Amino acid sequence: MTDRQAVLGLLDGRPLPRAELDRRLAVLRDGPRASALPRPGSAEDRQLTRWVAQVVLTEELCAAEAVARGLDPGAVAPVRLDQRAAVELGSIAAAAFEGSAAVRAVFEAVTAEVVASPGPALDHETMEIWQLSTPDGDFDADPATLPTVLAQDLLAAGPGRPVTVGPWTATLTGRKPAPAPPDRSTELLDCARRIAFVRWLDRARAERLTLVPGLEHPGDPAQPDNHHRH
C-alpha cells in the first residue's frame, strides 16, 4: 500500500512523490515574502499547500503529455502572462504555464488548430465622422452619438448651413470616413486558445489524476478548508 503522506497524487495510476511540493513550499517559506504567507497549520496555510500541489500536478500531467506527444519543451520560450490571460487560464494553470516549458509546449500542441469565432460584422464602408462647428467650438463626432433630430436636420441642411434644434446649434462643415476599427483577430484567437486549453486541462485532470486527502483542489467544496466567512 502506498504511503499517501509521501504522495503528491496519482498520474495515470502512478504515484507521484511529494518531494517537489515540499521543496516549493520550503522555498516560499524561506523567501523574501515569507511574512505575507499564512500562519503554518492554519486553514489558509493548508489551502496554500493545496494550491501549490495543483500547480505541480498540472506540470507533471503536461510533462507526461509532452512525452506522449513527442514534444520538445526546450524549444518553447518563457512567457510572462498579462492579467487578462492569467484570469482566463485561472491562477493554477497560469502559474504552471509560466513555470513549466512542458505546459507551454502542450498548450501549443492542443490549441494549434483552434480558430477564433469572428466578432459581429460591421459595414465599415457606411461609417463616417462628421466635422461640426458650434458656438462652443469645433469637434468631430460620430453621427450616431448626436441627438437624432439634430443629426437629421444637419444631414438635410447639408454642409455649411447652421441648424438650430431645441437647445442645439451646429453647422456640418465636413464628412470623412471613420477610422478603421482595430484588428482584434489576434486577441480573439489568443482568448479562444486559452479557453480550449482550460477545457482540455480540466478533462485531462479528471481522467488522469487521482488526488489524495489533504491535497484536494483548493476550490473543492467537499474539502474541509473550503468555506466562506462573513
Side-chain angles (χ1 to χ4, degrees), residues 149-225:
V149 290
L150 177 60
Q152 291 172 343
D153 283 9
L154 284 168
L155 191 60
R161 297 183 61 185
V163 168
T164 297
V165 180
W168 305 293
T169 297
T171 303
L172 178 61
T173 59
R175 297 163 67 178
K176 60 184 180 181
D183 182 3
R184 298 183 63 233
S185 57
T186 299
E187 177 186 347
L188 293 172
L189 177 58
D190 288 345
C191 178
R193 293 181 73 188
R194 288 189 286 267
I195 291 172
F197 180 68
V198 169
R199 289 174 177 166
W200 176 88
L201 190 57
D202 286 346
R203 184 170 60 252
R205 283 169 172 159
E207 293 174 352
R208 300 177 62 183
L209 287 176
T210 302
L211 306 183
V212 298
L215 296 180
E216 308 89 346
H217 191 287
D220 182 351
Q223 55 95 348
D225 295 314

Coordinates of all heavy atoms in Angstrom, one line a residue, residues 149-225:
V149 N -32.8 64.2 -33.8 CA -33.4 65.3 -34.6 C -32.3 66.2 -35.1 O -32.4 66.8 -36.2 CB -34.4 66.1 -33.8 CG1 -35.7 65.2 -33.5 CG2 -33.8 66.5 -32.4
L150 N -31.3 66.5 -34.3 CA -30.2 67.3 -34.8 C -29.4 66.7 -36.0 O -29.1 67.3 -37.0 CB -29.2 67.6 -33.6 CG -28.0 68.4 -34.0 CD1 -28.4 69.8 -34.5 CD2 -27.1 68.6 -32.8
A151 N -29.2 65.4 -35.8 CA -28.5 64.7 -36.9 C -29.3 64.7 -38.2 O -28.7 65.0 -39.3 CB -28.2 63.3 -36.5
Q152 N -30.6 64.5 -38.1 CA -31.4 64.5 -39.3 C -31.5 65.9 -39.9 O -31.3 66.0 -41.2 CB -32.9 64.1 -38.9 CG -33.0 62.7 -38.5 CD -34.4 62.3 -37.9 OE1 -35.1 63.2 -37.5 NE2 -34.7 61.0 -37.9
D153 N -31.6 67.0 -39.1 CA -31.6 68.3 -39.7 C -30.3 68.7 -40.3 O -30.2 69.4 -41.3 CB -32.1 69.3 -38.6 CG -33.6 69.3 -38.4 OD1 -34.2 68.3 -38.9 OD2 -34.1 70.1 -37.6
L154 N -29.2 68.4 -39.7 CA -27.8 68.7 -40.2 C -27.7 68.0 -41.6 O -27.1 68.6 -42.5 CB -26.7 68.2 -39.3 CG -26.5 69.1 -38.0 CD1 -25.6 68.4 -37.0 CD2 -25.9 70.4 -38.4
L155 N -28.1 66.7 -41.7 CA -28.0 66.0 -42.9 C -28.8 66.6 -44.0 O -28.4 66.8 -45.1 CB -28.4 64.5 -42.7 CG -28.1 63.5 -43.8 CD1 -26.6 63.5 -44.1 CD2 -28.6 62.2 -43.4
A156 N -30.1 67.0 -43.6 CA -30.9 67.7 -44.6 C -30.4 69.0 -45.0 O -30.5 69.4 -46.2 CB -32.3 67.8 -44.0
A157 N -29.8 69.8 -44.1 CA -29.3 71.1 -44.5 C -28.1 71.1 -45.3 O -27.9 71.9 -46.2 CB -29.0 71.9 -43.2
G158 N -27.2 70.1 -45.1 CA -26.0 70.0 -45.8 C -24.9 70.8 -45.2 O -25.1 71.6 -44.3
P159 N -23.7 70.6 -45.8 CA -22.5 71.3 -45.2 C -22.6 72.9 -45.3 O -23.2 73.4 -46.3 CB -21.4 70.8 -46.1 CG -21.9 69.5 -46.7 CD -23.3 69.7 -46.8
G160 N -22.2 73.5 -44.3 CA -22.1 75.0 -44.3 C -23.3 75.7 -43.8 O -23.3 77.0 -43.7
R161 N -24.4 75.0 -43.5 CA -25.6 75.7 -43.1 C -25.9 75.5 -41.7 O -26.1 74.3 -41.3 CB -26.8 75.3 -44.0 CG -26.6 75.6 -45.5 CD -27.8 75.2 -46.3 NE -29.0 75.9 -45.8 CZ -30.3 75.6 -46.3 NH1 -30.4 74.7 -47.2 NH2 -31.3 76.3 -45.9
P162 N -26.0 76.5 -40.9 CA -26.2 76.3 -39.4 C -27.6 75.8 -39.2 O -28.6 76.1 -39.9 CB -26.1 77.8 -38.9 CG -25.4 78.5 -39.9 CD -25.7 77.9 -41.2
V163 N -27.7 75.0 -38.2 CA -29.0 74.3 -37.8 C -29.2 74.5 -36.3 O -28.3 74.3 -35.5 CB -29.0 72.8 -38.2 CG1 -30.2 72.1 -37.5 CG2 -29.0 72.6 -39.7
T164 N -30.4 74.9 -36.0 CA -30.8 75.0 -34.5 C -32.0 74.1 -34.3 O -33.0 74.3 -35.0 CB -31.1 76.5 -34.2 OG1 -30.0 77.3 -34.3 CG2 -31.6 76.6 -32.7
V165 N -31.8 73.2 -33.4 CA -32.9 72.3 -33.0 C -33.0 72.3 -31.5 O -32.0 71.8 -30.8 CB -32.7 70.9 -33.5 CG1 -33.8 70.0 -33.1 CG2 -32.5 70.9 -35.0
G166 N -34.0 72.9 -30.9 CA -34.1 73.0 -29.4 C -32.9 73.7 -28.9 O -32.6 74.8 -29.4
P167 N -32.2 73.1 -28.0 CA -31.0 73.8 -27.4 C -29.8 73.7 -28.2 O -28.7 74.3 -27.8 CB -30.9 73.1 -26.0 CG -31.3 71.7 -26.3 CD -32.5 71.8 -27.2
W168 N -29.8 73.0 -29.3 CA -28.6 72.7 -30.0 C -28.5 73.6 -31.3 O -29.4 73.7 -32.0 CB -28.5 71.2 -30.4 CG -28.7 70.3 -29.3 CD1 -27.8 70.0 -28.3 CD2 -29.8 69.4 -29.1 NE1 -28.3 69.1 -27.4 CE2 -29.6 68.7 -27.9 CE3 -31.0 69.2 -29.8 CZ2 -30.4 67.8 -27.4 CZ3 -31.9 68.2 -29.3 CH2 -31.6 67.5 -28.1
T169 N -27.3 74.1 -31.5 CA -27.0 74.9 -32.7 C -25.7 74.3 -33.2 O -24.7 74.3 -32.5 CB -26.9 76.4 -32.5 OG1 -28.1 76.9 -32.0 CG2 -26.4 77.1 -33.7
A170 N -25.6 73.9 -34.5 CA -24.4 73.4 -35.0 C -24.4 73.5 -36.6 O -25.5 73.7 -37.2 CB -24.3 71.9 -34.7
T171 N -23.2 73.5 -37.1 CA -23.1 73.5 -38.6 C -22.2 72.3 -39.0 O -21.1 72.1 -38.4 CB -22.4 74.8 -39.0 OG1 -23.1 75.9 -38.6 CG2 -22.2 74.9 -40.5
L172 N -22.7 71.6 -40.0 CA -21.9 70.5 -40.5 C -20.9 71.1 -41.5 O -21.3 71.6 -42.5 CB -22.9 69.5 -41.2 CG -22.2 68.3 -41.9 CD1 -21.5 67.4 -40.9 CD2 -23.3 67.5 -42.7
T173 N -19.6 71.0 -41.2 CA -18.6 71.6 -42.0 C -17.9 70.5 -42.9 O -17.2 70.9 -43.8 CB -17.6 72.3 -41.2 OG1 -17.0 71.4 -40.2 CG2 -18.2 73.4 -40.4
G174 N -18.1 69.3 -42.6 CA -17.4 68.3 -43.4 C -17.8 66.9 -43.0 O -18.3 66.7 -41.8
R175 N -17.5 65.9 -43.8 CA -17.8 64.5 -43.5 C -16.5 63.7 -44.0 O -16.0 64.0 -45.1 CB -19.0 64.0 -44.2 CG -20.3 64.7 -43.7 CD -21.5 64.5 -44.7 NE -22.0 63.2 -44.7 CZ -23.0 62.8 -45.4 NH1 -23.7 63.7 -46.2 NH2 -23.4 61.6 -45.4
K176 N -16.1 62.7 -43.2 CA -15.0 61.9 -43.6 C -15.2 60.5 -43.1 O -16.0 60.2 -42.2 CB -13.7 62.5 -43.0 CG -13.7 62.6 -41.5 CD -12.4 63.2 -41.0 CE -12.4 63.3 -39.4 NZ -11.2 64.0 -38.9
P177 N -14.5 59.5 -43.8 CA -14.7 58.1 -43.3 C -14.2 58.0 -41.9 O -13.2 58.6 -41.5 CB -13.8 57.4 -44.3 CG -13.7 58.3 -45.5 CD -13.7 59.7 -45.0
A178 N -14.9 57.1 -41.2 CA -14.4 56.8 -39.8 C -13.2 56.0 -39.9 O -13.0 55.2 -40.9 CB -15.5 56.0 -39.1
P179 N -12.3 56.1 -38.9 CA -11.1 55.3 -39.0 C -11.4 53.8 -38.9 O -12.4 53.4 -38.2 CB -10.3 55.8 -37.7 CG -11.3 56.4 -36.8 CD -12.3 57.0 -37.8
A180 N -10.6 53.0 -39.5 CA -10.8 51.6 -39.4 C -10.7 51.0 -38.0 O -9.9 51.5 -37.2 CB -9.8 50.8 -40.3
P181 N -11.6 50.2 -37.6 CA -11.6 49.6 -36.3 C -10.3 48.8 -36.1 O -9.8 48.3 -37.1 CB -12.8 48.7 -36.2 CG -13.1 48.4 -37.6 CD -12.7 49.6 -38.4
P182 N -9.8 48.7 -34.9 CA -8.6 47.9 -34.7 C -8.8 46.5 -35.0 O -9.9 45.9 -34.8 CB -8.3 48.1 -33.2 CG -9.6 48.5 -32.6 CD -10.3 49.3 -33.6
D183 N -7.7 45.8 -35.5 CA -7.8 44.4 -35.8 C -7.6 43.6 -34.5 O -6.6 43.6 -33.8 CB -6.6 44.1 -36.7 CG -6.6 42.6 -37.2 OD1 -7.5 41.9 -36.7 OD2 -5.7 42.2 -37.9
R184 N -8.7 42.9 -34.1 CA -8.7 42.2 -32.9 C -8.6 40.7 -33.1 O -8.8 39.9 -32.2 CB -10.0 42.4 -32.1 CG -10.2 43.9 -31.7 CD -11.5 44.1 -30.9 NE -11.5 43.3 -29.7 CZ -12.4 42.5 -29.3 NH1 -13.4 42.2 -30.1 NH2 -12.3 41.8 -28.1
S185 N -8.2 40.3 -34.3 CA -8.2 38.8 -34.7 C -7.2 38.1 -33.8 O -7.5 37.0 -33.3 CB -7.8 38.7 -36.1 OG -6.6 39.3 -36.5
T186 N -6.0 38.7 -33.5 CA -5.0 38.0 -32.7 C -5.5 37.9 -31.3 O -5.4 36.8 -30.6 CB -3.7 38.8 -32.7 OG1 -3.2 38.8 -34.0 CG2 -2.7 38.1 -31.8
E187 N -6.1 38.9 -30.7 CA -6.7 38.9 -29.4 C -7.8 37.9 -29.2 O -7.8 37.1 -28.3 CB -7.3 40.3 -29.1 CG -7.9 40.4 -27.7 CD -8.6 41.8 -27.5 OE1 -8.3 42.7 -28.3 OE2 -9.4 41.9 -26.6
L188 N -8.6 37.8 -30.2 CA -9.7 36.8 -30.2 C -9.2 35.4 -30.3 O -9.7 34.5 -29.6 CB -10.7 37.1 -31.3 CG -11.5 38.4 -31.2 CD1 -12.3 38.6 -32.5 CD2 -12.5 38.3 -30.0
L189 N -8.2 35.2 -31.1 CA -7.6 33.8 -31.2 C -6.9 33.4 -30.0 O -7.0 32.3 -29.5 CB -6.6 33.8 -32.4 CG -5.8 32.5 -32.6 CD1 -6.8 31.3 -32.8 CD2 -4.9 32.6 -33.8
D190 N -6.1 34.3 -29.3 CA -5.5 34.0 -28.1 C -6.5 33.6 -27.0 O -6.2 32.7 -26.2 CB -4.6 35.2 -27.6 CG -3.4 35.4 -28.5 OD1 -3.0 34.5 -29.2 OD2 -2.8 36.5 -28.4
C191 N -7.6 34.4 -26.9 CA -8.6 34.0 -26.0 C -9.2 32.7 -26.2 O -9.4 31.9 -25.3 CB -9.7 35.1 -26.0 SG -11.1 34.8 -24.9
A192 N -9.5 32.4 -27.5 CA -10.1 31.1 -27.9 C -9.1 29.9 -27.5 O -9.6 28.9 -27.1 CB -10.4 31.1 -29.3
R193 N -7.8 30.2 -27.7 CA -6.9 29.1 -27.4 C -6.8 28.9 -25.9 O -6.7 27.7 -25.5 CB -5.5 29.5 -28.0 CG -5.4 29.6 -29.5 CD -4.0 29.9 -29.9 NE -3.1 28.8 -29.7 CZ -1.8 28.9 -29.9 NH1 -1.2 30.0 -30.3 NH2 -1.0 27.8 -29.8
R194 N -6.9 29.9 -25.1 CA -6.8 29.7 -23.7 C -8.0 29.0 -23.2 O -8.0 28.1 -22.3 CB -6.7 31.1 -23.0 CG -5.3 31.7 -23.1 CD -5.1 32.9 -22.3 NE -5.8 34.1 -22.7 CZ -5.3 35.0 -23.5 NH1 -4.1 34.9 -24.0 NH2 -6.0 36.1 -23.9
I195 N -9.2 29.3 -23.7 CA -10.4 28.6 -23.4 C -10.3 27.1 -23.7 O -10.7 26.2 -22.9 CB -11.6 29.3 -24.0 CG1 -11.9 30.6 -23.5 CG2 -12.9 28.4 -23.9 CD1 -13.0 31.4 -24.2
A196 N -9.8 26.8 -24.9 CA -9.7 25.5 -25.4 C -8.7 24.7 -24.5 O -8.9 23.5 -24.1 CB -9.2 25.4 -26.8
F197 N -7.6 25.3 -24.1 CA -6.6 24.7 -23.2 C -7.2 24.4 -21.9 O -7.0 23.3 -21.3 CB -5.4 25.5 -23.1 CG -4.3 24.9 -22.2 CD1 -3.6 23.8 -22.7 CD2 -4.0 25.5 -21.0 CE1 -2.6 23.2 -21.9 CE2 -3.0 24.9 -20.2 CZ -2.3 23.8 -20.6
V198 N -7.9 25.3 -21.3 CA -8.5 25.1 -20.0 C -9.5 23.9 -20.0 O -9.5 23.0 -19.1 CB -9.2 26.3 -19.5 CG1 -10.1 26.0 -18.2 CG2 -8.2 27.4 -19.1
R199 N -10.3 23.8 -21.1 CA -11.2 22.7 -21.3 C -10.4 21.4 -21.4 O -10.8 20.4 -20.7 CB -12.1 22.9 -22.5 CG -13.1 24.0 -22.3 CD -13.9 24.3 -23.6 NE -14.9 25.3 -23.4 CZ -15.5 25.9 -24.4 NH1 -15.2 25.6 -25.7 NH2 -16.4 26.8 -24.1
W200 N -9.4 21.4 -22.2 CA -8.6 20.1 -22.3 C -7.9 19.8 -20.9 O -8.0 18.6 -20.5 CB -7.4 20.4 -23.3 CG -6.5 19.2 -23.4 CD1 -6.7 18.1 -24.2 CD2 -5.3 19.0 -22.6 NE1 -5.6 17.2 -24.0 CE2 -4.8 17.7 -23.0 CE3 -4.7 19.7 -21.6 CZ2 -3.6 17.2 -22.4 CZ3 -3.5 19.2 -21.1 CH2 -3.0 17.9 -21.5
L201 N -7.4 20.8 -20.2 CA -6.8 20.5 -19.0 C -7.7 20.0 -17.9 O -7.4 19.0 -17.2 CB -6.1 21.8 -18.5 CG -5.2 21.7 -17.3 CD1 -4.0 20.7 -17.5 CD2 -4.6 23.1 -16.9
D202 N -8.9 20.6 -17.9 CA -9.9 20.1 -16.9 C -10.3 18.6 -17.2 O -10.4 17.8 -16.3 CB -11.2 21.0 -17.0 CG -11.0 22.3 -16.3 OD1 -10.0 22.5 -15.6 OD2 -11.8 23.2 -16.6
R203 N -10.4 18.3 -18.5 CA -10.8 16.9 -18.8 C -9.6 16.0 -18.5 O -9.8 14.9 -17.9 CB -11.1 16.9 -20.3 CG -11.6 15.5 -20.8 CD -12.1 15.5 -22.2 NE -11.1 16.0 -23.1 CZ -11.2 17.2 -23.7 NH1 -12.1 18.1 -23.5 NH2 -10.2 17.5 -24.6
A204 N -8.4 16.4 -18.8 CA -7.2 15.5 -18.6 C -7.0 15.3 -17.1 O -6.7 14.2 -16.6 CB -6.0 16.2 -19.2
R205 N -7.2 16.4 -16.3 CA -7.1 16.2 -14.8 C -8.1 15.2 -14.3 O -7.8 14.4 -13.5 CB -7.4 17.6 -14.1 CG -6.2 18.6 -14.2 CD -6.7 19.9 -13.7 NE -5.6 20.9 -13.6 CZ -5.8 22.2 -13.6 NH1 -7.0 22.7 -13.8 NH2 -4.8 23.0 -13.4
A206 N -9.4 15.3 -14.8 CA -10.4 14.5 -14.3 C -10.2 13.0 -14.6 O -10.5 12.1 -13.9 CB -11.8 14.9 -14.8
E207 N -9.6 12.8 -15.8 CA -9.4 11.4 -16.3 C -8.1 10.8 -15.8 O -8.0 9.6 -15.7 CB -9.4 11.4 -17.9 CG -10.8 11.8 -18.5 CD -10.7 12.0 -20.0 OE1 -9.6 11.9 -20.5 OE2 -11.8 12.1 -20.6
R208 N -7.1 11.6 -15.6 CA -5.8 11.0 -15.4 C -5.2 11.3 -14.0 O -4.2 10.6 -13.6 CB -4.8 11.6 -16.4 CG -5.2 11.3 -17.8 CD -4.3 11.9 -18.9 NE -2.9 11.4 -18.7 CZ -1.9 11.9 -19.5 NH1 -2.1 12.8 -20.4 NH2 -0.7 11.4 -19.3
L209 N -5.7 12.2 -13.2 CA -5.2 12.5 -11.9 C -6.1 12.0 -10.8 O -7.3 12.1 -10.9 CB -5.0 14.0 -11.7 CG -3.9 14.7 -12.5 CD1 -3.9 16.2 -12.2 CD2 -2.5 14.1 -12.1
T210 N -5.5 11.4 -9.8 CA -6.2 11.0 -8.6 C -5.6 11.8 -7.4 O -4.3 11.7 -7.2 CB -6.0 9.5 -8.3 OG1 -6.5 8.7 -9.4 CG2 -6.8 9.1 -7.1
L211 N -6.4 12.6 -6.8 CA -5.9 13.4 -5.7 C -5.9 12.6 -4.4 O -6.7 11.7 -4.2 CB -6.8 14.7 -5.6 CG -6.9 15.5 -6.9 CD1 -7.7 16.7 -6.6 CD2 -5.5 15.8 -7.5
V212 N -5.1 13.0 -3.5 CA -5.0 12.4 -2.2 C -5.6 13.3 -1.1 O -5.6 14.5 -1.3 CB -3.6 12.0 -1.8 CG1 -3.0 11.0 -2.8 CG2 -2.7 13.2 -1.7
P213 N -6.1 12.7 0.0 CA -6.6 13.6 1.1 C -5.6 14.6 1.6 O -4.5 14.3 1.8 CB -7.0 12.5 2.2 CG -7.2 11.3 1.4 CD -6.2 11.3 0.3
G214 N -6.1 15.8 1.7 CA -5.2 16.9 2.2 C -4.7 17.7 1.0 O -4.2 18.8 1.2
L215 N -4.7 17.1 -0.2 CA -4.2 17.8 -1.3 C -5.2 17.9 -2.4 O -4.9 18.0 -3.6 CB -2.9 17.1 -1.9 CG -1.7 17.1 -0.9 CD1 -0.5 16.4 -1.6 CD2 -1.3 18.5 -0.5
E216 N -6.5 18.1 -2.0 CA -7.6 18.3 -2.9 C -7.4 19.6 -3.6 O -6.6 20.5 -3.2 CB -8.9 18.2 -2.2 CG -9.1 16.9 -1.4 CD -8.7 17.1 0.1 OE1 -7.9 18.1 0.3 OE2 -9.0 16.3 0.9
H217 N -8.2 19.8 -4.7 CA -8.2 21.2 -5.3 C -8.7 22.2 -4.2 O -9.6 21.9 -3.5 CB -9.1 21.2 -6.5 CG -9.0 22.4 -7.3 ND1 -9.5 23.6 -6.9 CD2 -8.4 22.6 -8.5 CE1 -9.3 24.6 -7.8 NE2 -8.6 24.0 -8.8
P218 N -8.0 23.3 -4.1 CA -8.5 24.3 -3.1 C -9.9 24.8 -3.2 O -10.5 25.2 -2.2 CB -7.5 25.4 -3.2 CG -6.8 25.3 -4.5 CD -6.9 23.8 -4.8
G219 N -10.4 24.7 -4.4 CA -11.8 25.1 -4.7 C -12.8 24.0 -4.5 O -14.0 24.2 -4.7
D220 N -12.4 22.8 -4.1 CA -13.3 21.6 -4.0 C -14.2 21.9 -2.8 O -13.7 22.0 -1.6 CB -12.5 20.3 -3.7 CG -13.3 19.1 -3.6 OD1 -14.6 19.2 -3.5 OD2 -12.7 18.0 -3.6
P221 N -15.5 22.0 -3.0 CA -16.4 22.3 -1.9 C -16.5 21.2 -0.8 O -16.9 21.4 0.3 CB -17.8 22.4 -2.5 CG -17.7 21.7 -3.8 CD -16.2 21.8 -4.3
A222 N -15.9 20.0 -1.1 CA -16.0 18.9 -0.2 C -14.9 18.9 0.8 O -14.9 18.2 1.8 CB -16.0 17.5 -1.0
Q223 N -13.8 19.6 0.5 CA -12.7 19.6 1.4 C -12.9 20.6 2.6 O -13.5 21.6 2.4 CB -11.3 19.8 0.7 CG -11.2 21.1 -0.1 CD -10.6 22.2 0.6 OE1 -10.4 22.2 1.8 NE2 -10.3 23.3 -0.1
P224 N -12.4 20.3 3.8 CA -12.9 21.0 5.0 C -12.4 22.4 5.1 O -13.0 23.2 5.8 CB -12.2 20.2 6.1 CG -11.1 19.5 5.5 CD -11.5 19.1 4.1
D225 N -11.4 22.8 4.3 CA -10.9 24.2 4.5 C -11.5 25.1 3.4 O -11.2 26.3 3.4 CB -9.4 24.2 4.3 CG -8.7 23.5 5.5 OD1 -9.1 23.8 6.6 OD2 -7.8 22.7 5.2

